[in-house]
Amino acid sequence: LLPVRVTVLLFAHYADQFGADRVALDLPVGADVAAAVAAVRAFPEGARLRGAPLTAVNERWAPAAHALADGDT
């Protein structure tokens, strides 16, 4: 199966740490928001991030268990 490609939009401290306003991720099929957050934290820049981020998918609040689809932002 092909991976699910999502774009994570970064704001405030997250954008400052990454020096960018977005990060593209390839995640396994069935990945959820929690998996995307873990993938962001796996980057060297993400290791310094603290706290639990507020998360949204396609501009709507989404809990950690929300399943992601190819092309989500």
Side-chain angles (χ1 to χ4, degrees), residues 15-17 22 25-26 28 35 37-38 42 45 51 53 59-60 63-65 69 71-72:
D16 292 343
Q17 287 297 316
R22 63 193 66 220
L25 299 176
D26 288 323
V37 170
E45 301 86 353
E59 300 182 14
R60 292 180 183 231
D72 280 347

Side-chain angles (χ1 to χ4, degrees), residues 4-16:
V4 173
R5 186 163 196 61
V6 299
T7 301
V8 177
L9 303 179
L10 305 169
F11 300 95
H13 185 64
Y14 283 74
D16 292 343

Side-chain angles (χ1 to χ4, degrees), residues 33-52:
V33 169
V37 170
V40 168
R41 289 186 186 278
F43 283 94
E45 301 86 353
R48 297 182 295 239
L49 297 171
R50 290 179 264 161

Side-chain angles (χ1 to χ4, degrees), residues 2 32 39 72:
L2 295 174
D32 57 15
D72 280 347

